[in-house]
Amino acid sequence: MNITIPFRPKLFETLKNYSGALFRRDFGAGLNVMVMAFPLSVAFAIASGAKPEQGLFTAIIGGGIIAALSGSRVQIGGPTGAFVVITYSILQRFGTDGLVLCTAMAGVMLCVMGFARLGSVIRFIPYPVSRAFTKGIAILILSSQIKNFLGLNVEKLPVDFVGKIKLLVAHLDGVHGPTVTLAVASLVVIGLWPKKLSSFVPGSMVGLVLATVAVSVFGLQEHWHIATIGSQFGEMSRSLPALHVPALDFAVLPELIHPAFTIALLVAMQALLCSVVTDGMLDERHDSNQELVGQGIANFAGPFFGCIPVTGGVARSIANVRSGGRTPVAGLIHAFLLLVVLLAAAPLVSHIPLAALSAILVVAAYRMVAWKQFLRLSRWPFSDSSVFLATFALTVLADLTLAVEVGVVLAALLMVKRVSETSQITAVDESTETEGSHHSLVGKQVPEGVLIFRVFGAFFFGVVDKLDDELKRAKQEPDVLILRVRKVLAMDATGLQALEDLHVKLRAKGKHLILSAPHTQPLLVMENAGFLDRIGRENVCPHIDAALARARDILGLPPALETDPLHQERQKLEAVRRELTGALERANEVMQTPIGGSRALSPAAQVTTLVGGDGKPNP
């Protein structure tokens, strides 16, 4: 058996025809994205409980690996708000070594997903679940920034939301006026910065620079005791970190599996969402499996060099496209320029006030929430709204890992419920069959003692009860039961077991089961399980005519009499008449007002104009 491992980074593809013109566009885009990424990387790192330089390490090393190995041309990697909560939680419980191991495990999981070609599956996580995660994380980010925004004197915030709010409320009497003033001023500058200028200089960088200049020039740190990166974390490192391999504690590994899975799932969701968004902007198509592999390698290798979890940033990738970036080289340039800034300007970073960074995160979190979404919940189906609210509540009030697991399970159960609701099982005969002229029972001789059921949709476990109900509703014990399954496209083990039980029950009473026109997937399921041999291959028929002929043979009846050609033609026309009648009834329901103001004919009268009352088509 040949096993092919998908590994086709977009960088290799784009370098084949790379030119100087492309480089100039990519360089300009990389410069613009670097300006946006710098304050976000530092802010997200501090909010995650890590050192500020770790955010830059993540954007440089992790972002560089993602650019080089991504399945998208314009993906920009770095720390994002989605990981603030989970990273902070892991650091509080397991320390730096635990975060390194946890993130590396997530990287391995992502690589496995990519090699197993699960990229297309991850993209189909239901909208209510993914949106609820995002909004819940945004609320948690907002709550984590209250301390720095108000200048509260709180040593360490609890991980849980309720405990954090209680502690902050208890310290509200210590609000620091100068810090609030600086934070609000930064917030106004960032929030009101013109969108037209954001593609050149983002508002977050403008607010950060102005606040830093104010602190440095006017001596706000000394006179007003405004907290800065230097006062809280000391001077930033001016070089990339050396390789650090943590001590492997096998006792802790089982506890890291759940948070590692959460990181892997969040990375996959955000990276693939980012790829889909940029695909729409460029009319491109990304390789989702390669994307997962690239993200996995970045998250496996990065933690050993001081990185926190990394993934594609939607805002940064969009800015890359709008600035002219068209190849992964723009992402590499963005990482290189951040490295230059780290080496050259690290001492200046220590003057950045934490109030300005909190304003950046408040704006980012506010934009993540999209408050109008809550107003639209009443228009959603109740089941979708319930899944959304449950996932949102668990994300905020309980634990992100639990919210991810419960959200995915609820979404899966919701999908199964909807699939079962769309599946139908109905008894049919010559007068109720609506399968169409070619498959119709009209004119066919259904022997006495034969009962026919039409099954529509997937034959999963939710259909089993429907089958039992229909058999009870029939109020008769057929000698031969024909199941028309040509519109059943999928069958699972429970559906197969239902057929097994039905066959055994009928056989015990001397009755027979016939399947008519099974599709490929159900047929393979029954073949692999040996059910075709148990039911008898002669009882699996390619169409309804063969199934009726088999039923007559079982009952010892002679073959159905052939009718004359004229009678057959009339039967076909009658079937066509019924189809047209149904179609016109539906059309009349849609068209409430007849065209031209004329009175609409009844469906039967309209059909008569097409097919004469004698059964012959009118000219």
Side-chain angles (χ1 to χ4, degrees):
M1 181 175 63
N2 294 326
I3 300 177
T4 58
I5 296 179
F7 193 78
R8 298 177 297 274
K10 289 291 184 180
L11 178 64
F12 299 170
E13 177 184 321
T14 55
L15 287 180
K16 294 178 182 178
N17 301 308
Y18 202 67
S19 63
L22 277 175
F23 177 77
R24 286 190 292 273
R25 297 183 66 178
D26 286 339
F27 186 87
L31 177 62
N32 284 343
V33 175
M34 181 276 293
V35 174
M36 172 184 284
F38 178 83
L40 290 176
S41 300
V42 174
F44 285 136
I46 293 175
S48 301
K51 296 179 180 178
E53 59 262 37
Q54 287 184 264
L56 296 177
F57 298 159
T58 305
I60 294 168
I61 300 173
I65 294 175
I66 288 175
L69 303 180
S70 174
S72 169
R73 290 174 179 265
V74 292
Q75 183 91 272
I76 300 294
T80 67
F83 302 99
V84 167
V85 179
I86 187 68
T87 303
Y88 184 84
S89 175
I90 294 171
L91 281 173
Q92 296 302 311
R93 291 181 59 193
F94 304 105
T96 302
D97 285 355
L99 178 63
V100 171
L101 291 174
C102 193
T103 309
M105 289 168 62
V108 173
M109 293 178 185
L110 286 163
C111 288
V112 171
M113 291 178 190
F115 291 141
R117 303 181 185 275
L118 296 179
S120 59
V121 177
I122 297 294
R123 286 190 301 169
F124 294 123
I125 290 179
Y127 183 82
V129 175
S130 61
R131 293 300 90 189
F133 290 153
T134 303
K135 287 162 178 53
I137 290 169
I139 296 298
L140 292 174
I141 292 175
L142 286 172
S143 69
S144 69
Q145 295 310 300
I146 295 175
K147 171 190 171 184
N148 290 333
F149 196 92
L150 300 180
L152 301 179
N153 185 20
V154 180
E155 287 296 326
K156 181 185 271 190
L157 291 175
V159 175
D160 65 294
F161 177 78
V162 176
K164 188 182 305 178
I165 295 300
K166 284 182 177 179
L167 182 62
L168 291 171
V169 170
H171 286 77
L172 282 180
D173 55 346
V175 172
H176 189 233
T179 298
V180 175
T181 303
L182 183 62
V184 171
S186 301
L187 188 68
V188 171
V189 171
I190 297 168
L192 299 182
W193 186 250
K195 291 184 178 180
K196 293 181 179 180
L197 299 178
S198 295
S199 57
F200 302 100
V201 181
S204 57
M205 178 58 83
V206 176
L208 189 70
V209 170
L210 291 178
T212 304
V213 170
V215 169
S216 302
V217 173
F218 298 106
L220 298 183
Q221 180 180 353
E222 295 80 9
H223 297 298
W224 298 103
H225 305 291
I226 290 180
T228 63
I229 289 179
S231 66
Q232 294 291 317
F233 301 97
E235 188 174 342
M236 278 184 58
S237 171
R238 298 185 61 178
S239 62
L240 290 176
L243 175 67
H244 169 68
V245 179
L248 187 61
D249 187 352
F250 289 99
V252 177
L253 286 180
E255 298 182 52
L256 295 177
I257 292 177
H258 281 183
F261 174 75
T262 302
I263 292 175
L265 188 59
L266 290 175
V267 168
M269 288 169 55
Q270 185 158 345
L272 296 179
L273 171 64
C274 180
S275 298
V276 170
V277 171
T278 54
D279 280 354
M281 298 175 68
L282 295 173
D283 194 21
E284 287 279 349
R285 185 174 180 83
H286 72 280
D287 185 338
S288 57
N289 296 314
Q290 177 61 41
E291 188 61 56
L292 292 181
V293 173
Q295 299 283 339
I297 294 175
N299 279 281
F300 176 77
F304 298 106
F305 295 93
C307 297
I308 57 180
V310 59
T311 188
V314 177
R316 277 160 277 183
S317 299
I318 291 175
N320 181 31
V321 174
R322 290 177 176 171
S323 301
R326 292 297 180 268
T327 76
V329 174
L332 293 173
I333 291 173
H334 135 270
F336 173 75
L337 293 177
L338 279 174
L339 175 61
V340 172
V341 172
L342 175 67
L343 298 178
L348 300 177
V349 176
S350 61
H351 297 289
I352 295 176
L354 296 183
L357 290 176
S358 69
I360 292 174
L361 290 180
V362 166
V363 173
Y366 178 82
R367 290 171 178 171
M368 286 172 64
V369 172
W371 302 98
K372 292 181 180 179
Q373 188 78 71
F374 290 95
L375 301 177
R376 292 200 293 265
L377 287 179
S378 59
R379 303 176 186 175
W380 284 10
F382 178 75
S383 53
D384 284 319
S385 300
S386 300
V387 170
F388 177 93
L389 292 174
T391 307
F392 174 79
L394 287 173
T395 302
V396 175
L397 300 176
D399 177 71
L400 184 60
T401 303
L402 177 63
V404 169
E405 294 170 348
V406 173
V408 171
V409 171
L410 286 176
L413 293 175
L414 180 60
M415 182 197 69
V416 172
K417 177 179 179 292
R418 285 180 174 165
V419 168
S420 65
E421 287 175 348
T422 59
S423 301
Q424 300 174 0
I425 298 179
T426 54
V428 293
D429 55 26
E430 300 95 322
S431 62
T432 61
E433 177 57 76
T434 59
E435 288 263 342
S437 58
H438 181 66
H439 303 280
S440 177
L441 287 173
V442 174
K444 294 181 173 65
Q445 300 178 22
V446 179
E448 188 176 348
V450 175
L451 192 60
I452 303 176
F453 281 104
R454 182 183 67 237
V455 186
F456 176 86
F459 206 93
F460 291 164
F461 63 84
V463 183
V464 176
D465 292 336
K466 293 184 179 180
L467 180 59
D468 291 338
D469 293 341
E470 285 297 327
L471 287 173
K472 293 176 181 178
R473 194 175 291 116
K475 296 181 180 180
Q476 58 176 305
E477 284 279 341
D479 295 316
V480 177
L481 176 62
I482 299 177
L483 290 183
R484 301 194 67 178
V485 291
R486 74 182 188 89
K487 290 190 175 181
V488 174
L489 302 181
M491 175 184 292
D492 69 351
T494 310
L496 175 64
Q497 187 60 46
L499 283 183
E500 294 264 16
D501 295 342
L502 179 61
H503 167 62
V504 171
K505 187 185 300 183
L506 291 173
R507 182 56 59 91
K509 298 179 180 180
K511 315 293 184 180
H512 300 269
L513 175 65
I514 296 177
L515 301 179
S516 174
H519 235 285
T520 304
Q521 192 272 349
L523 196 62
L524 288 175
V525 170
M526 291 185 287
E527 174 70 46
N528 293 334
F531 179 68
L532 296 185
D533 292 322
R534 289 190 288 277
I535 192 178
R537 294 180 181 271
E538 66 278 4
N539 293 324
V540 182
C541 303
H543 47 74
I544 188 60
D545 291 328
L548 289 172
R550 174 58 185 160
R552 297 183 72 87
D553 184 53
I554 291 173
L555 297 173
L557 300 174
L561 295 175
E562 298 241 352
T563 57
D564 63 275
L566 180 59
H567 183 60
Q568 289 182 350
E569 187 68 22
R570 287 177 176 172
Q571 289 175 342
K572 292 180 180 179
L573 289 171
E574 175 60 27
V576 171
R577 185 201 299 273
R578 293 175 56 202
E579 290 182 39
L580 287 173
T581 300
L584 289 169
E585 284 177 348
R586 291 190 293 274
N588 279 337
E589 290 176 0
V590 174
M591 300 174 62
Q592 296 293 332
T593 304
I595 297 175
S598 60
R599 181 176 177 271
L601 296 175
S602 67
Q606 296 179 58
V607 173
T608 303
T609 64
L610 301 173
V611 183
D614 58 355
K616 297 180 181 180
N618 286 331

